[in-house]
Each structure stands twice: as structure tokens, then as C-alpha cells.
Amino acid sequence: PATSMDELVSLCKRRGFIFPGSDIYGGLQGTYDYGPLGIELKNNLKAAWWRAMVYERDDVEGLDASILTHRLVLRHSGHEATFTDPMVDCRNCKSRWRADQLKDNKCEKCGSTDLTEPRPFNLMFKTTVGPVAEEGSFAYLRPETAQGIFTNFKNVVDATSRRLPFGIAQIGKAFRNEITPRNFIFRVREFEQMELEFFVQPGTDDEWHSQWVEARLQWWRDQGLLSENLQAYHQAGDELAHYAKATVDILYQFPHGLEELEGIANRTDFDLGSHTRGQADLGLSAKVEPNEDSTAKLTIPHPETQKPLVPFVIEPSAGVDRGVLAILTEAFTKETLENGSERIVLKLKPHLAPIKVAVLPLARNKPEIVEKAKAIKALLMATGIGRIFYEDTGNIGKGYRRHDEVGTPFCVTVDFDTLGRGDDASLLDTVTVRDRDTMSQARIHINELATYIRERLV
Ligand code: ATP
């Protein structure tokens, strides 16, 4: 794995995975742009999550709620009052810091210990809605995707006739005005989340919580993260958010330390209880603020008594960008080859690789080879396995190195033998397939190529 963030940042920029946001104007702190390969990796990761959460289960529905959010949603969710981090000012150099991230209570810029007392700083971004900037015309950019799921609870239940237990899954952008964004895409101000809200009957919540922790750990392992770099951390009582009965963080050994990749919380009936109308009659177990604004009763029939019930919710909430960072960290490998040279290879799981196959013509100035290589690209494209890249640098060694560095599982080379013009005429219509990890090469007939590759891409 990568041992320093710098080597990842450099590879990401050089090969087109991730660039600093607004780069040509000096950058906008806490924003990053995903380049040609980064977008493929990110899309593949999100698709793997959606597949595991929605397609492979029978108890989850999908949702894509809006980012702009009514202030009442974020008032009743508790965010207006409590979605804050403790901030301190350095009296010496006037910089600002998140108090709980400072080492030895020292300003990171000037080293001064002359800091103000911490005060709460709300992390939500506000924006004006409509052409008139008057009181009341603002909305928030959502700080998490979860609230859109809670506010659509009744819509989804009415539309699908779901009964407990069931979940709603969503992937999308979230925004937090982090006091100090840092560590590349680990802590940014605009990011993506993959969140599931899984609604259960109270009393079954502990069991479901443990099941989801196991399922999520296994999923991250399936994405290539090694068990030895993952840890399930059970938050202690005094660390828990006010609404949570229990929270398990999945930590990953990032280059900058062992840090949170995903949080899996048992949020009881706090969220639906906070957003529902008629709170008093519902026997809520969470302590909620009164709500005179909501127009909907967020209940579902109790599985046994059929009486209206506000279910408990288990929430596995993962960061897409932190996922991408973890996967890049794990995959990054520096190898010394037998001839003493060094190669960098991204050992990505094939389903995550931005490019599945590179097709290389041995010579780019030989029309017949070029034509054949393009036909093979088209043939592989038609199988729908993902991005197939026609790589015509004309230098096979260079092509292999480039594709090792971006994690392309297979390179297919078209040469004179393919055209039946080599020493061995039986090689007509065969190509060389090189494996990224072992660097071994196999001679495969074009008719068998798609099957050969597809079998090895899972
Ligand atoms: P942290 O303590 O690191 O600020 P958090 O506990 O506030 O994170 P949650 O509110 O639980 O994070 O959000 C769920 C997930 O969203 C996190 O596990 C993380 O993967 C992702 N996430 C949260 N904040 C950021 C951010 N600023 N940049 C990138 N990803 C983030």
C-alpha cells in the first residue's frame, strides 16, 4: 500500500484521477475534481455499493433526493442547533482551527498557545433561493444525504407498500463547511456519501446493527481493502452523538493514520420521531424537540399488532471520496523487478479498475495492425464490460507501464503474428494478453478473447 499521501496525490494528478478544484485560479480549498480515470473509479465504486445494497437484496429501495434543502428539515433534524465543530482562534496569527484536531493545543501555523476558548461553528452551507434575497429565502446545501430519506419515508412507503424491516439507499453529494479541510480527499467541503437508512422494529435493532456492521466490513473487503488495515471501532458512551444508541466506525489505515471510513449508527426513532407530526401519541423512545411544522405522520404498521409505529433506524453511512482514497492507498504498489527496475502498479480489483482492457497495436504506422487493433477494441466494447482503451503510443513497454500505474487489469497486444505474418502461421488471429499483476502473457485466439477477459474481470 501507499505509505505517503504525497505519492498518491502525485499519481492522481499525473495520470488524471483527481485534480485540485478551481486549479487554474489558485484552487478552492476543500474541493477536488475527478479526472478521466477518477470518475471511472468513483462510478465503479458507487455501482458496486448500489448493487450490494439495492440489487442483491429484496428489502431496499433507492432514492435520489435534492441537495437544496428547506431550512425546516434541518431545523427539525437538529442540524441548525447542533451540527457544529468546536472552533478556536489563534490570537497571535489570527488563523482558525478545529479545536479537537489540534495537537498539544498549539496553533498549527505559528505554534502559539494563545488560543481562544472553543466555540461552536455550524458546518452547514446556506444559499439564496430565487431572485429575491430576503429573510426566509435561503436554503441549505444538505450536510448529509440522510435527511432526504427521512423526509421521503412516507412517500416511499406509500409508493411501494413496504413493511418492516426495509431500507432506503441513496448516493449523492453532501456539503460541510469544514473548518480545516485536509488530507487530500479525506476531509473536503464538498463530497459524496453512500447512505442506507434501514428501518426496523424496536427490539430487533441491536441484532440488525451487528448484522450491518458485518455486512459493511465484508463489502469493504470485497473492494480490496485488507482486513489488517480495517478496524471496527465501537464508540464509547461519551463519544456517541446525542441521538445514537450505538455507533460502530469502520476505520481504515490511511496514509495519514487510522481514520473513519464509514459510520454505522443505531439512531433509534430519533429522526422519524423528530420529523413526524403528532409526536405525543406515538410513544417515541428518543427525546425529540416538538414539531409543529411537519404535515406527515411518519409511521408504519407494527409487524405484529399492526398499530402505527415509528420504526428504529440503522444507518450505514460511507464516504465515497474516503472510499476512493482507501482503495487507491491499498492498491498502490511499488515493485522492484528482476532486472532491478521499479514499477508502480495499482492492484485494483478488476471491477473497480477505470480501464478494463488496453488494446495496443505493436506499430502505429502499420495500417493493417492499427485496423485489427481497432476492430478488437470494438469487439471488446460490444461486450459491455466497461471502458476499453485504444492505446497507440506505439511503444509497448511504455504502454504496459502506463496501464500498470492506472490499474488496467489487461493489455492486449496486436502484432504481425496476429496478421499471420510472423514465423509461426498458426498464430493467425491470436493476440498477446498481459496480466497486470503477474505480468505473465498468454496467446489467445480473438474468438476466445472476450470470454477469457470476462472470466477474469470479476
Ligand atoms: P468526521 O468525524 O471525520 O468529521 P463524521 O463522523 O462527522 O466524520 P459522518 O457525519 O458520520 O462523519 O458522515 C458519514 C461519512 O461521510 C463519514 O464516515 C465519511 O466517510 C464521510 N464524510 C464526512 N465528512 C466528510 C468530509 N468532510 N469529507 C469527506 N468525507 C466526509
Side-chain angles (χ1 to χ4, degrees):
T3 50
S4 88
M5 198 71 95
D6 288 348
E7 58 192 3
L8 283 184
V9 173
S10 143
L11 174 80
C12 283
K13 172 130 200 210
R14 188 156 36 89
R15 292 302 191 193
F17 281 90
I18 300 162
F19 312 119
S22 305
D23 203 11
I24 65 168
Y25 291 103
L28 179 64
Q29 217 200 346
T31 66
Y32 284 91
D33 299 340
Y34 285 76
L37 298 185
I39 178 63
E40 299 289 345
L41 171 56
K42 186 154 91 146
N43 280 345
N44 292 340
L45 184 67
K46 291 194 283 185
W49 187 89
W50 197 261
R51 181 176 162 164
M53 291 307 216
V54 184
Y55 297 171
E56 289 176 355
R57 302 184 63 97
D58 299 311
D59 53 6
V60 175
E61 301 285 351
L63 180 76
D64 181 27
S66 56
I67 288 170
L68 290 173
T69 308
H70 198 293
R71 81 174 286 185
L72 287 177
V73 171
L74 291 154
R75 175 177 300 165
H76 289 295
S77 68
H79 285 79
E80 274 194 341
T82 64
F83 196 64
T84 59
D85 277 338
M87 182 170 71
V88 293
D89 288 51
C90 171
R91 289 199 184 89
N92 183 44
C93 72
K94 310 292 177 222
S95 56
R96 286 182 166 166
W97 305 99
R98 196 172 131 177
D100 56 344
Q101 283 177 351
L102 282 185
K103 281 201 193 80
D104 307 327
N105 251 344
K106 264 193 196 150
C107 171
E108 282 184 24
K109 199 165 156 200
C110 72
S112 166
T113 52
D114 188 11
L115 307 173
T116 61
E117 280 300 303
R119 61 187 187 285
F121 174 74
N122 196 295
L123 299 180
M124 286 195 294
F125 282 101
K126 277 182 191 173
T127 191
T128 308
V129 173
V132 190
E134 62 189 22
E135 182 61 30
S137 67
F138 80 87
Y140 291 110
L141 302 188
R142 66 183 177 196
E144 59 177 29
T145 66
Q147 296 307 321
I149 297 181
F150 300 131
T151 55
N152 277 290
F153 177 78
K154 186 172 166 19
N155 287 336
V156 174
V157 171
D158 288 352
T160 63
S161 309
R162 283 288 180 183
R163 291 297 176 256
L164 298 180
F166 85 101
I168 304 177
Q170 179 169 216
I171 300 177
K173 290 257 178 167
F175 300 81
R176 296 183 187 180
N177 197 4
E178 296 280 353
I179 301 166
T180 30
R182 57 177 63 191
N183 297 316
F184 194 29
I185 52 172
F186 180 82
R187 184 176 304 286
V188 283
R189 291 186 169 133
E190 172 175 347
F191 55 99
E192 269 184 284
Q193 293 184 312
M194 307 183 280
E195 295 195 299
L196 172 71
E197 303 301 330
F198 197 79
F199 302 100
V200 304
Q201 181 185 338
T204 67
D205 50 309
D206 293 335
E207 170 59 22
W208 274 110
H209 190 217
S210 339
Q211 274 196 35
W212 275 113
V213 171
E214 277 322 303
R216 296 304 304 146
L217 277 166
Q218 184 55 47
W219 185 82
W220 284 112
R221 289 192 288 262
D222 293 342
Q223 310 315 306
L225 304 188
L226 295 184
S227 301
E228 64 206 59
N229 296 325
L230 286 165
Q231 191 184 307
Y233 174 76
H234 293 249
Q235 285 189 10
D238 59 348
E239 293 173 284
L240 286 175
H242 62 96
Y243 49 76
K245 178 173 167 192
T247 297
V248 176
D249 289 336
I250 297 183
L251 310 180
Y252 178 74
Q253 188 64 54
F254 289 99
H256 64 286
L258 186 65
E259 296 264 11
E260 176 178 334
L261 170 64
E262 169 163 354
I264 302 144
N266 178 347
R267 303 174 61 109
T268 70
D269 54 5
F270 175 78
D271 305 282
L272 292 180
S274 295
H275 285 303
T276 190
R277 99 177 140 79
Q279 290 167 322
D281 312 326
L282 295 169
L284 296 175
S285 94
K287 204 172 140 309
V288 298
E289 295 292 325
N291 188 333
E292 303 294 328
D293 300 306
S294 172
T295 59
K297 215 166 175 192
L298 305 183
T299 60
I300 193 163
H302 186 290
E304 283 136 30
T305 66
Q306 308 304 319
K307 283 197 188 134
L309 166 78
V310 178
F312 274 25
V313 65
I314 308 298
E315 177 196 74
S317 168
V320 178
D321 311 80
R322 287 189 192 179
V324 167
L325 183 60
I327 281 156
L328 286 171
T329 302
E330 191 77 62
F332 186 93
T333 314
K334 255 186 199 164
E335 285 179 353
T336 308
L337 304 178
E338 274 170 18
N339 64 10
S341 68
E342 195 177 70
R343 77 160 180 157
I344 292 176
V345 49
L346 273 191
K347 296 195 168 175
L348 295 170
K349 287 270 181 180
H351 73 278
L352 296 175
I355 298 170
K356 305 304 180 193
V357 183
V359 182
L360 302 86
L362 182 72
R364 60 176 162 186
N365 54 0
K366 296 280 181 284
E368 287 157 289
I369 287 192
V370 165
E371 199 184 315
K372 196 79 184 168
K374 286 190 168 162
I376 289 170
K377 189 223 146 156
L379 175 147
L380 290 174
M381 266 301 306
T383 65
I385 50 180
R387 188 153 188 217
I388 314 294
F389 196 88
Y390 177 73
E391 177 67 69
D392 74 342
T393 45
N395 179 326
I396 301 298
K398 252 194 191 152
Y400 285 168
R401 271 196 302 283
R402 170 193 298 259
H403 284 282
D404 283 347
E405 255 197 335
V406 303
T408 307
F410 297 103
C411 284
V412 168
T413 302
V414 178
D415 56 20
F416 288 102
D417 287 328
T418 314
L419 303 176
R421 303 247 195 87
D423 298 335
D424 184 350
S426 73
L427 293 178
L428 174 68
D429 283 338
T430 65
V431 289
T432 301
V433 181
R434 174 186 179 271
D435 179 279
R436 174 193 73 198
D437 295 345
T438 63
M439 295 187 289
S440 63
Q441 304 195 1
R443 199 82 199 176
I444 306 293
H445 196 277
I446 293 171
N447 293 343
E448 282 146 28
L449 185 61
T451 311
Y452 179 91
I453 284 171
R454 210 182 343 215
E455 280 172 2
R456 287 162 180 76
L457 273 183
V458 279

